[in-house]
C-alpha cells in the first residue's frame, strides 16, 4: 500500500498534507488505484476488441473517448476520496481539517494524468488485436 501511496503523491513531490495523511489512514489510495486502473483498461478493451467499428477508427473519436474516460476516472476517484476521508474524519472525531476543494482537484488531476497514460498504453497494446481500429491512435 505504501507504493500505491507514493504513486499518487508523485513519489513525494505532491504530498498534500492532511489530505494525503487522511487518505492513507482511511485506506482510500488502494481503492482509488484500482478504479483508476480498471476504467481505462475496460474502456480500451471495449473500444478495440468488443466494438471494433469503422466509425470509431478516427483519431478525434479516440481522443474524445480517452478524455471522457480519464475524466470519469478522476471524478469517480474524487468521490471515493471524499467519502473515505469524510468517513475517516467523522469516525475519528476529527473536527478541524484543513482539507479543501483544491486538494481534491489536485488529486483528481493526478488521477486524470495517470489514467491518460494507462489509456494510451492500453491503446498501443490492444490496437494490434483490432481489425478496423488498427491505425488509431497512430
Amino acid at each position: 500500500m505504501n507504493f500505491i501511496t507514493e504513486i499518487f503523491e508523485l513519489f513525494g513531490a505532491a504530498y498534500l498534507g492532511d489530505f494525503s495523511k487522511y487518505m492513507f489512514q482511511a485506506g482510500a489510495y488502494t481503492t482509488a488505484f484500482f478504479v483508476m486502473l480498471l476504467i481505462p483498461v475496460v474502456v480500451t478493451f471495449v473500444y478495440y476488441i468488443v466494438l471494433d467499428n469503422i466509425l470509431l477508427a478516427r483519431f478525434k473519436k479516440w481522443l474524445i473517448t480517452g478524455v471522457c474516460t480519464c475524466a470519469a476516472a478522476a471524478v469517480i476517484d474524487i468521490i471515493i476520496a471524499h467519502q473515505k476521508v469524510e468517513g475517516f474524519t467523522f469516525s475519528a472525531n476529527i473536527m478541524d481539517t484543513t482539507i479543501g476543494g483544491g486538494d481534491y482537484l489536485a488529486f483528481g488531476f493526478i488521477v486524470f494524468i495517470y489514467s491518460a497514460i494507462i489509456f494510451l498504453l492500453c491503446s498501443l497494446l490492444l490496437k494490434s488485436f483490432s481489425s478496423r481500429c488498427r491505425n488509431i491512435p497512430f
Side-chain angles (χ1 to χ4, degrees), residues 37-112:
L37 187 67
L38 187 65
I39 290 175
V41 169
V42 168
V43 170
T44 53
F45 179 79
V46 169
Y47 186 88
Y48 284 102
I49 306 300
V50 176
L51 294 179
D52 194 22
N53 193 330
I54 194 69
L55 296 174
L56 295 175
R58 304 278 186 268
F59 179 76
K60 184 178 178 180
K61 291 185 181 179
W62 174 84
L63 185 63
I64 290 170
T65 303
V67 168
C68 291
T69 300
C70 297
V75 168
I76 291 170
D77 274 349
I78 288 172
I79 292 169
I80 289 170
H82 186 268
Q83 289 177 345
K84 294 268 188 173
V85 168
E86 291 296 317
F88 175 77
T89 56
F90 180 76
S91 66
N93 290 329
I94 300 170
M95 299 298 174
D96 188 26
T97 63
T98 58
I99 298 172
D103 295 326
Y104 290 107
L105 288 177
F107 176 70
F109 182 72
I110 291 168
V111 170
F112 186 91

Side-chain angles (χ1 to χ4, degrees), residues 2 10 14 57 64 66-67 80 87 104 106 114 126 136:
N2 287 334
L10 302 177
I64 290 170
V67 168
I80 289 170
Y104 290 107
Y114 278 135
L126 292 175
I136 303 301

